[in-house]
Amino acid sequence: MKKILPLFSYLFHPIFIPLFGTIFYLFFIPNYFEFNQKYLLLIQILIITIFIPISFYYLLRTLGKVDSMMVSELSQRKIPLIIQAVLIVTLIQKSITIDRVPELFFFFFGGLISTLLTLIFLFGKIKASIHMIGISSLTAFVVGLSLHNQVNFIYYIAFLILMNGVIASSRLAMKAHTNIELGIGFLVGLIPQVALGFFWL
């Protein structure tokens, strides 16, 4: 089991969470988007939240600023988190706007708040699990979509709740975090999504 658990840290790497949330919003609930609009939006998300961060990762690795995709060291996290915050701001200003896609806007805005909180914790030498931030925020978003659209997502929600536990176990098995760091990450991801849910639910 210990050999399988680390796989979930890669499958649910935080870099994929914006894409997962967008896919769920576009293809699992009723919306007004046409087929080509959905894929255009997906391409924008892919470029800004996956391709550009990966490009920066290889640049930072070449410069010796990071040593792995998990960015486990506190000192290595500041630049990637700042880059992530800038990219999210770009998205919610230019593409995922509040008047066009309010649900996604607040999902990404919640992600921005979580990113900034993680940065603040870094300056206090507190390490929050970014994996837990990602999966807990996605879980809260899917629950919100279910309530907002009156759609039964009980199986998806149950799966995501299970994944919260599995990913936490994965991070412990990889000795990447303590229980406290996992708990902080869970709350940092969950609370902004729940708080912002009052604006669109």
Side-chain angles (χ1 to χ4, degrees):
M1 189 66 180
K2 287 186 177 181
K3 293 182 179 180
I4 298 175
L5 280 174
L7 176 64
F8 290 93
S9 288
Y10 292 96
L11 290 176
F12 288 91
H13 191 282
I15 201 171
F16 299 127
I17 297 301
L19 179 64
F20 293 159
T22 303
I23 289 173
F24 212 95
Y25 173 75
L26 291 176
F27 296 100
F28 287 78
I29 64 168
N31 57 63
Y32 59 86
F33 287 102
E34 296 180 359
F35 188 78
N36 61 331
Q37 291 177 315
K38 291 181 179 181
Y39 283 94
L40 181 61
L41 189 57
L42 275 181
I43 290 171
Q44 293 173 3
I45 299 297
L46 277 169
I47 292 172
I48 296 177
T49 67
I50 296 181
F51 294 154
I52 293 178
I54 287 175
S55 299
F56 273 111
Y57 162 72
Y58 282 109
L59 174 61
L60 292 172
R61 186 163 185 175
T62 301
L63 297 174
K65 299 296 184 180
V66 299
D67 55 17
S68 76
M69 283 192 69
M70 297 302 172
V71 195
S72 57
E73 297 295 327
L74 279 175
S75 59
Q76 298 179 1
R77 289 185 161 205
K78 291 178 183 177
I79 296 176
L81 284 171
I82 291 170
I83 292 170
Q84 180 179 338
V86 171
L87 291 174
I88 293 175
V89 169
T90 302
L91 260 180
I92 61 178
Q93 283 188 334
K94 304 296 183 181
S95 181
I96 311 295
T97 57
I98 191 170
D99 56 329
R100 185 183 178 201
V101 275
E103 299 91 343
L104 272 185
F105 171 85
F106 284 112
F107 174 56
F108 279 92
F109 188 49
L112 176 62
I113 294 173
S114 296
T115 301
L116 295 177
L117 287 173
T118 307
L119 264 173
I120 292 170
F121 284 137
L122 277 183
F123 288 102
K125 304 298 182 183
I126 299 172
K127 184 181 178 183
S129 170
I130 299 176
H131 278 77
M132 291 308 298
I133 291 173
I135 191 63
S136 65
S137 63
L138 179 62
T139 304
F141 181 58
V142 172
V143 171
L145 288 177
S146 178
L147 294 172
H148 183 61
N149 295 278
Q150 297 295 300
V151 179
N152 186 358
F153 286 155
I154 186 66
Y155 294 112
Y156 297 118
I157 293 170
F159 172 77
L160 288 171
I161 291 173
L162 175 63
M163 285 301 101
N164 276 265
V166 170
I167 291 169
S169 299
S170 172
R171 304 309 288 156
L172 288 173
M174 296 175 74
K175 299 181 179 178
H177 290 287
T178 64
N179 287 328
I180 293 175
E181 291 167 352
L182 293 171
I184 292 172
F186 177 81
L187 292 175
V188 169
L190 181 70
I191 293 174
Q193 296 294 332
V194 173
L196 291 173
F198 289 102
F199 292 98
W200 64 273
L201 286 179

